Amino acid sequence: MISIKPATPTFVAEIGDVDLARLTDADFADIEAAFERYAVLIFHNQPITEEQQLAFARRFGELEVSVQPFVQTPGGKRRIGDGMQDISNLDENGKLLSESDNRRLINLANQFWHTDSSFKRRPARMSMLTAQSVVSTGGETEFADMRAAWDALPADRQQKLEGLIAEHDYYRSRLMVGLDPKSISPERRALRPAVPQVLVRTHPATGRKSLYLASHITRIFGMDAAEGRNLVDELTAHATQRAFVYQHRWTVDDVVLWDNRCTMHRGRPFDESLPRAMRRATISDVGPTVPEDSHPAA
Ligand code: OGA
Ligand code: MN
């Protein structure tokens, strides 16, 4: 039997008495139940291989295929194997990326509050990050509970938000970190079109509602630009108040997984002359939040 130690009453739990390298079906069932009930799960001292990480992640559903390897890595060479995101400041040979390297810029966008792959029609259900090299100062990852943020809104406010649809665009967050717009060829642009997402989600396992926000949002359909921007910025500030936020400080061989349907997260800055290396397996949600035939492509 796994042990479940809440780090906060309902948001984050530490899972113990388990070996992720040889996970039984019964233990997985308990882990998945904890994942649905909390939203962020932390495991310590789990030195799992890439294969073991992929096998654990795949128990949650279908592995997300990313176009990242093709657009990001010169010559297609990668530091880690296929199937996972390279969340590091290292190149394919394990050397620190230069300041101007596009891969560094693209990962810098992780320092804005976001939820993974909301820029895809079918976004991410779960992300699982494992730590191979950590920094001792900075470099934490913060998580915001979007269910608690929703619950804290007055009922009349909630009512006005239900039914709204936002446009999410991968390139909004990347342009904010200074990616050169000229480096986005029409082919790269076409690989990641902007997509619609509901602004309020209902969690299928718990029935709890949450705000669905990210730094990828460009606009709210049916609102003019300023009104939509103000709304998104105000809700983001509300949802990321310290009361709703948990900060994880990394240790090597930590495994942290989170529910992208009801959380946001961001990485914190750190001294980039030091290596920080993690890898992320991402599991797709069961479908789009806005049915493909009910809303025009953004
Ligand atoms: C991610 C991410 C933040 C961090 O891996 O999806 O946003 O702290 N990471 O590296
Ligand atoms: Mn992320």
Side-chain angles (χ1 to χ4, degrees):
M1 273 279 275
I2 63 166
S3 63
I4 301 176
K5 195 174 113 201
T8 80
T10 56
F11 182 36
V12 182
E14 259 180 53
I15 308 295
D17 295 327
V18 66
D19 179 355
L20 294 180
R22 48 194 117 243
L23 188 60
T24 63
D25 290 346
D27 280 353
F28 177 70
D30 291 344
I31 289 170
E32 192 176 30
F35 165 78
E36 301 282 20
R37 177 172 137 64
Y38 292 89
V40 181
L41 300 182
I42 297 168
F43 305 76
H44 295 297
N45 302 312
Q46 302 281 350
I48 52 175
T49 64
E50 289 188 25
E51 289 68 34
Q52 288 163 342
Q53 181 174 352
L54 283 169
F56 178 30
R58 281 201 169 101
R59 287 180 179 248
F60 286 87
E62 200 182 313
L63 193 70
E64 188 182 88
V65 200
S66 176
V67 297
Q68 185 199 30
F70 312 108
V71 295
Q72 194 177 318
T73 318
K77 262 191 88 207
R78 305 187 74 211
R79 189 182 67 86
I80 62 173
D82 288 339
M84 281 190 276
Q85 304 290 117
D86 188 354
I87 306 297
S88 78
N89 55 357
L90 306 178
D91 70 10
E92 63 281 8
N93 301 313
K95 299 254 172 19
L96 286 167
L97 292 171
S98 72
E99 197 150 321
S100 61
D101 195 298
N102 260 357
R103 288 170 287 181
R104 196 186 77 84
L105 276 180
I106 282 169
N107 274 343
L108 257 187
N110 285 339
Q111 296 186 5
F112 299 126
W113 285 109
H114 67 284
T115 181
D116 289 332
S117 297
S118 68
F119 48 76
K120 293 186 177 182
R121 201 99 209 201
R122 184 180 168 198
R125 176 191 189 209
M126 189 277 292
S127 294
M128 178 189 296
L129 204 47
T130 62
Q132 289 76 50
S133 301
V134 304
V135 290
S136 53
T137 319
E140 304 89 351
T141 305
E142 292 184 335
F143 298 92
D145 187 344
M146 306 301 280
R147 306 160 305 181
W150 172 261
D151 291 346
L153 291 172
D156 60 329
R157 194 77 212 285
Q158 291 179 338
Q159 220 170 29
K160 291 204 187 85
L161 297 173
E162 296 226 47
L164 291 180
I165 294 179
E167 178 185 74
H168 292 238
D169 184 351
Y170 172 85
Y171 286 112
R172 178 181 186 259
S173 46
R174 311 297 144 164
L175 290 171
M176 284 201 303
V177 290
L179 186 71
D180 180 359
K182 290 198 290 296
S183 75
I184 310 170
S185 63
E187 294 74 33
R188 276 183 76 178
R189 175 69 266 189
L191 278 173
R192 299 187 187 271
V195 302
Q197 301 286 1
V198 295
L199 192 68
V200 182
R201 298 193 70 170
T202 304
H203 198 280
T206 61
R208 292 187 70 184
K209 288 191 174 162
S210 56
L211 289 169
Y212 195 52
L213 298 171
S215 58
H216 313 306
I217 296 181
T218 48
R219 60 179 168 140
I220 304 287
F221 289 100
M223 287 186 184
D224 66 38
E227 190 188 7
R229 185 79 262 144
N230 279 338
L231 176 65
V232 171
D233 288 350
E234 189 222 320
L235 289 175
T236 302
H238 163 74
T240 57
Q241 293 173 64
R242 294 322 292 181
F244 306 138
V245 170
Y246 178 85
Q247 185 185 73
H248 179 67
R249 176 175 288 283
W250 290 91
T251 305
V252 169
D253 294 334
D254 279 353
V255 175
V256 175
L257 57 89
W258 62 88
D259 189 337
N260 284 298
R261 298 168 297 184
C262 58
T263 62
M264 280 203 290
H265 61 279
R266 67 171 178 181
R268 301 300 289 148
F270 60 97
D271 177 353
E272 294 227 35
S273 67
L274 301 169
R276 177 180 188 263
M278 310 209 273
R279 49 173 202 250
R280 194 186 85 209
T282 316
I283 298 302
S284 294
D285 205 343
V286 291
T289 70
V290 177
E292 305 243 13
D293 54 5
S294 78
H295 199 276

